[in-house]
Amino acid sequence: MVIFDFDGVICDSLKLCRDACQFAAKQQNSSVILETNPFRYLDPVTFEAVSQELGLNEKIFSRDVASYLYKYGEQAPFFFGISQAIETIAASHKLFIVSASHGDVIKKTASAS
């Protein structure tokens, strides 16, 4: 069994996730400008943790992030060579992908890559 995380391991989604968080913050009338990596010091590394750090409503924030990612998710590229690596590994191992992102976002991103 081989387990991969999706964001930041398979998919170069940092900019997209940051943009989604910026969008979600704006939806709650926050004027905060997020740094390039708003996840850098978080534990756990989740969208809910970002909203907590910003003092925003977690449910609304997560909903808005998910909506943004679903709409623009295909813009995040896979890392170079990862598709071939996954195919090779999957040929002889059970392969699992874990993520804080919604499954629909991952499926849409994967189908676009």
Side-chain angles (χ1 to χ4, degrees):
M1 171 181 8
V2 179
I3 301 171
F4 285 99
D5 187 16
F6 185 73
D7 294 301
V9 176
I10 293 175
C11 186
D12 187 6
S13 57
L14 178 60
K15 181 183 180 323
L16 178 68
C17 288
R18 184 237 174 247
D19 291 349
C21 289
Q22 188 68 64
F23 169 80
K26 222 178 228 183
Q27 295 303 109
Q28 292 188 49
N29 298 316
S30 173
S31 61
V32 68
I33 303 296
L34 296 174
E35 64 176 281
T36 302
N37 185 354
F39 309 98
R40 180 186 325 224
Y41 302 109
L42 298 179
D43 185 19
V45 179
T46 63
F47 298 120
E48 290 82 1
V50 173
S51 67
Q52 286 175 355
E53 285 291 313
L54 299 175
L56 300 173
N57 181 294
E58 291 177 47
K59 282 187 176 187
I60 294 171
F61 189 87
S62 294
R63 180 201 67 206
D64 290 340
V65 164
S67 172
Y68 187 95
L69 291 176
Y70 189 77
K71 185 173 182 180
Y72 299 107
E74 68 275 358
Q75 294 179 7
F78 279 15
F79 284 107
F80 178 77
I82 195 69
S83 294
Q84 287 179 309
I86 287 173
E87 286 180 25
T88 301
I89 293 166
S92 58
H93 297 81
K94 282 195 178 256
L95 183 66
F96 296 89
I97 298 172
V98 297
S99 181
S101 294
H102 289 262
D104 289 343
V105 172
I106 293 171
K107 287 175 189 172
K108 187 175 181 186
T109 303
S111 66
S113 293

